[in-house]
Amino acid sequence: MNRTAFVHDWLAGGNAGAEKVLVEMLNALPQTPIYTMVYQPADFVGTPLEHAEVHTSAIQHWPKGVSSYRTYLPFMPYQVEQFDLTDYDTIVSSSHAVAKGVLVGAGQLHVSYVHSPIRYAWDLYHQYLREANLTSGVKATLAKIVLHYIRLWDHSTANRVDVFLANSHYVAQRIWRTYRRPAQVLYPPVDVARFDHTRPREDFYLTMSRFVPYKKIDLIVETFTRSGRPLIVIGSGPDFEKIRATAGPNVQLLGRQSDEAVADYMSRCKAFVFAADEDFGIVPVEAQAAGAPVIAYGKGGSLETVVADVTGVFFGQQNVESLTRAVGIFEARAEQFDSETIRKHAEQFRPERFRAQFSAILAAAEEAKRSGTDPEQAVLALDLRNL
């Protein structure tokens, strides 16, 4: 019997998109053990991760290891290599940081689902240093040296992976640029069933995100403050107070909300606004599952999840003028957007389809490994469209 293990970067800090992917992998392969840097069960109450078999690294027991795990990033490449996975036939890593660098033997199959190559070491390197105020001085030099060596390690560990999976074509392009390896695209699962697309639309716009710079919530708030159009903002994060200080009376900042409240607002909003350059972007798909048109920045994953003039409208630059024009275009065409059509588009991302595609990928890769052929080519040859 084939034995499988999952390796995930960390299970702490909230149940985000990467963790939702892991949940559906676990639903496809119940009782599969998980290896991860740190684990905070309280973050996953009510999910399959709450009672999963989880093995952690030494960081779990270090001072503030669970609450401040990111400060231990320089030690994570070493720690992920300490997981002993010799008893498993197949290793599936779920990686946006170090999980793909796990050590595997020649007889083992390693399939790596890459949410993104390490963004703060590669694409967002200079932005990360600026936002962390690490552009000069001793601390900045140390940070640059650490990230330099993480890049070297990250690139070298690509050879430990038999098959790369990407969460979008956008990320597949970045995997090729970073590792010079092709990747099969497996879109993340979105729980479309929890959204109601049949309710009447009301006269307010909606956005939802963590309040961090690259999400561009400040741009959305400034744009709607200037126009006077009603906007509801859900989410929290480091920039919350700074953005709240700039918001006009037409903008409501609600902070974090329950899943039920989020589904309610998405089911009623006039349109959902999304201004980030994301690898995939689950939230715009959730909005479409609720029948809401999306006004999105036309770069990155949004180009794969939003259909221009069918499920939404794109804007070309991350500035007030471009977003304002897009909102005006949307309002002029608002009657052409049909909630039923938008919901039908979102259905392609349902969890059941993800599990079927994931299972087909693993079956093809494992059969290729057993027969002595190339698992990567076997997976790339799969046509997942009909699953």
Side-chain angles (χ1 to χ4, degrees), residues 8-20 22-23 34-45 47 49-50 54-57 59-61 64-72 76 94 96-97 120 210 256:
H8 189 75
D9 292 309
W10 47 74
L11 290 171
N15 187 17
E19 287 68 47
K20 291 175 181 177
L22 182 63
V23 163
I34 301 167
Y35 291 77
T36 189
M37 292 292 102
V38 295
Y39 176 48
Q40 176 58 269
D43 289 342
F44 303 101
V45 174
T47 78
L49 296 175
E50 182 183 6
V54 178
H55 305 266
T56 60
S57 73
I59 296 173
Q60 178 85 13
H61 308 290
K64 297 185 177 179
V66 176
S67 61
S68 301
Y69 57 90
R70 292 178 189 272
T71 62
Y72 292 116
M76 289 184 183
S94 166
H96 56 80
Y120 36 86
R210 287 197 70 234
R256 294 186 66 177

Side-chain angles (χ1 to χ4, degrees), residues 120-359:
Y120 36 86
W122 295 102
D123 295 65
L124 296 184
Y125 171 69
H126 294 290
Q127 180 180 328
Y128 164 76
L129 293 174
R130 285 194 302 271
E131 291 170 359
N133 197 25
L134 291 171
T135 55
S136 62
V138 174
K139 287 185 178 180
T141 300
L142 290 174
K144 292 173 184 177
I145 291 172
V146 167
L147 291 173
H148 170 73
Y149 281 103
I150 284 177
R151 277 193 297 276
L152 294 177
W153 176 85
D154 185 44
H155 185 270
S156 71
T157 60
N159 290 327
R160 303 176 188 178
V161 177
D162 295 296
V163 177
F164 275 102
L165 306 178
N167 68 357
S168 67
H169 290 282
Y170 185 50
V171 168
Q173 291 171 1
R174 294 177 55 227
I175 289 171
W176 176 257
R177 185 175 66 243
T178 306
Y179 309 130
R180 285 295 186 263
R181 293 282 300 278
Q184 173 68 275
V185 174
L186 175 60
Y187 287 123
V190 179
D191 185 9
V192 299
R194 72 184 181 92
F195 297 96
D196 181 2
H197 67 289
T198 63
R199 299 175 65 183
R201 296 283 142 196
E202 299 180 18
D203 189 25
F204 68 88
Y205 291 84
L206 176 69
T207 191
M208 183 176 79
S209 176
R210 287 197 70 234
F211 282 57
V212 292
Y214 87 93
K215 297 288 190 178
K216 298 296 181 182
I217 297 298
D218 56 342
L219 165 62
I220 298 172
V221 168
E222 181 182 356
T223 300
F224 280 82
T225 294
R226 288 193 191 184
S227 71
R229 294 180 174 99
L231 173 71
I232 290 176
V233 184
I234 295 174
S236 62
D239 291 348
F240 184 88
E241 292 301 330
K242 181 173 71 174
I243 292 174
R244 182 162 67 175
T246 68
N250 58 303
V251 177
Q252 297 181 57
L253 274 68
L254 303 184
R256 294 186 66 177
Q257 297 290 309
S258 67
D259 287 347
E260 293 75 18
V262 169
D264 175 59
Y265 282 109
M266 284 185 171
S267 297
R268 295 186 289 116
C269 68
K270 189 173 186 178
F272 186 86
V273 186
F274 188 74
D277 174 5
E278 282 280 22
D279 301 317
F280 174 75
I282 285 179
V283 177
V285 178
E286 291 180 332
Q288 291 171 88
V294 177
I295 302 170
Y297 177 45
K299 188 177 179 182
S302 295
L303 293 174
E304 301 177 47
T305 62
V306 179
V307 181
D309 298 325
V310 177
T311 71
V313 172
F314 290 117
F315 58 100
Q317 295 179 302
Q318 289 174 312
N319 60 43
V320 171
E321 293 72 24
S322 185
L323 177 53
T324 300
R325 283 195 300 272
V327 174
I329 291 169
F330 165 74
E331 292 193 340
R333 303 175 183 173
E335 295 301 320
Q336 79 180 46
F337 293 101
D338 174 63
S339 291
E340 194 71 39
T341 301
I342 295 171
R343 168 59 176 248
K344 186 176 180 181
H345 172 69
E347 289 280 350
Q348 68 179 296
F349 302 103
R350 65 190 185 278
E352 298 84 356
R353 190 180 191 204
F354 172 88
R355 293 195 296 270
Q357 292 175 332
F358 175 66
S359 297

